Amino acid sequence: MERAREIVSSILKERTVDNIYFVGCGGSLVGFYPAKYFLTCEAKKLKAGYCNSNEFVYATPKEIGENSVVILASQRGDTAETVEACKVANARGAVTIGLTFKVPSPLSEAAQHVVLYEFGEESVVGNQKSSYALKLAAEFLNQIEGYEDYDKLVDGLDKLHGIVEKAKTEIIPYAIKYAWEFKDDSVIYTMGSGASWGSAHQESICIFMEMQWINSSAIHSGDYFHGPFEITEKDTAFVLMKSTGRTRYLDDRAIAFLEKFNDRCMIIDPKDYGMDAVGSVSEYLDPLFHTNVIRVYNNLLADARNHPLSVRRYMWKFKY
């Protein structure tokens, strides 16, 4: 937490912060969802915003100003829309924090504060993008309003890497089963609730659509019965990222229905892999667990389909 604490302390010495916006594109935006969800649930006065970079540029919220912090992310630090969003926030007088895997980069040069995160199979979970965003959110909340479970969250983040590494081994047989079962599907739906809805969204847009060219849609478990459940058939493919927290009931309700009318739902439940060890804050760490552990399945699916995760049809090849 040291880097996050250092940045937040320096900002709060200079100004009052009323709102925090998380801004990015695609997976970089979705990676912020756990932090946004955390603040929405825990903050009493501090406001949290969540916005696509280009939308932020063209429809900048009027409240963005001297009492705002805008946290932005770009893997390579060169996402044009995100860099421009950072410049817009700077011009409005907001404090900007850029999270990136690459320094120097356009984002690291534009942002007032920079966090260099770890990425990839060998990265430590607590040093990844989503983890740093959650750390920043927790620091702002604790230093501005106070957060009674702050120590529990810090302890949970410390324990998370070990839990994830163990789970990545234990899930292999289950992941193999579903990789081979889903390899020929043309549509795979993802589901989740609470903070883990972000993980379901990321799996849908970044893995299935972007990296595997499989049609997909992310369905919030609470919205499943408000339209989406009508597409459920015996052979419809689903991946459900289950919450260990307060919205677990929403997931269980969807699962109970699926068990009656569907035979093909891959459920990833952190409780099966030791997440109870982090205690009452587990729901905020679930998406960090999901995003890391499902990589095992994603790699196996890519192998089974003979479609490497690095292959793109349009990205980085055409002007868009």
Side-chain angles (χ1 to χ4, degrees):
M1 296 288 285
E2 290 77 12
R3 179 60 177 152
R5 188 178 299 117
E6 171 190 325
I7 290 174
V8 173
S9 296
S10 66
I11 291 170
L12 294 179
K13 284 180 181 178
E14 298 178 352
R15 67 183 72 198
T16 299
V17 172
D18 295 331
N19 57 80
I20 298 174
Y21 272 74
F22 298 97
V23 177
C25 296
S28 289
L29 175 60
V30 178
F32 281 149
Y33 194 77
K36 185 268 180 186
Y37 180 84
F38 165 80
L39 282 180
T40 299
C41 288
E42 297 291 347
K44 296 177 181 177
K45 295 182 180 180
L46 188 61
K47 182 178 178 181
Y50 179 83
C51 190
N52 169 272
S53 298
N54 226 18
E55 184 169 307
F56 186 89
V57 171
Y58 286 95
T60 313
K62 289 185 178 180
E63 68 180 340
I64 299 298
E66 294 182 357
N67 300 121
S68 304
V69 172
V70 178
I71 304 176
L72 312 98
S74 170
Q75 188 87 321
R76 302 179 182 184
D78 60 357
T79 306
E81 302 101 306
T82 303
V83 175
E84 185 61 26
C86 186
K87 293 177 180 178
V88 168
N90 286 335
R92 288 287 193 97
V95 175
T96 53
I97 304 173
L99 276 62
T100 180
F101 180 58
K102 185 177 180 181
V103 173
S105 63
L107 180 60
S108 69
E109 293 172 0
Q112 297 165 33
H113 301 271
V114 178
V115 173
L116 180 64
Y117 61 79
E118 296 180 14
F119 171 76
E121 297 291 342
E122 303 303 318
S123 61
V124 175
V125 176
N127 295 335
Q128 294 169 356
K129 172 178 56 187
S130 294
S131 298
Y132 267 118
L134 184 58
K135 289 177 181 179
L136 286 166
E139 281 297 335
F140 273 114
L141 180 62
N142 193 48
Q143 293 191 35
I144 293 173
E145 298 184 15
Y147 173 47
E148 62 181 358
D149 287 332
Y150 176 85
D151 291 337
K152 290 182 181 178
L153 189 68
V154 173
D155 182 62
L157 281 165
D158 288 340
K159 291 177 178 176
L160 189 58
H161 185 76
I163 294 171
V164 164
E165 289 303 299
K166 186 171 181 287
K168 284 163 68 175
T169 298
E170 293 177 352
I171 203 172
I172 290 174
Y174 189 64
I176 290 173
K177 174 185 184 298
Y178 277 99
W180 281 94
E181 184 167 333
F182 287 178
K183 70 182 181 66
D184 296 320
D185 280 271
S186 60
V187 180
I188 303 176
Y189 295 100
T190 63
M191 296 178 67
S193 67
S196 292
W197 183 84
S199 302
H201 187 190
Q202 182 165 322
E203 182 72 8
S204 177
I205 67 171
C206 294
I207 303 300
F208 293 144
M209 287 197 272
E210 176 188 333
M211 300 184 187
Q212 289 297 291
W213 306 349
I214 296 172
N215 290 313
S216 183
S217 179
I219 303 168
H220 192 287
S221 299
D223 275 335
Y224 176 61
F225 295 101
H226 301 275
F229 75 148
E230 288 293 346
I231 53 86
T232 302
E233 297 181 277
K234 282 291 183 184
D235 61 350
T236 308
F238 291 95
V239 174
L240 191 149
M241 315 280 200
K242 195 168 184 178
S243 170
T244 63
R246 291 166 292 178
T247 65
R248 188 175 176 88
Y249 166 76
L250 281 65
D251 300 328
D252 281 333
R253 183 185 176 205
I255 291 168
F257 186 89
L258 288 166
E259 287 176 344
K260 294 178 182 178
F261 299 102
N262 177 266
D263 295 326
R264 304 177 73 232
C265 181
M266 178 184 180
I267 301 169
I268 302 180
D269 184 353
K271 279 183 175 287
D272 292 338
Y273 302 96
M275 274 294 281
D276 282 339
V278 304
S280 60
V281 298
S282 64
E283 65 178 312
Y284 300 130
L285 303 180
D286 284 341
L288 311 182
F289 174 93
H290 284 130
T291 302
N292 280 277
V293 173
I294 202 168
R295 286 179 182 172
V296 176
Y297 162 79
N298 294 338
N299 288 331
L300 289 166
L301 179 67
D303 290 344
R305 300 183 74 244
N306 194 28
H307 186 127
L309 295 171
S310 59
V311 173
R312 301 291 187 277
R313 181 183 283 129
Y314 306 114
M315 191 172 284
W316 309 311
K317 296 181 179 180
F318 297 91
K319 185 177 180 180
Y320 50 89

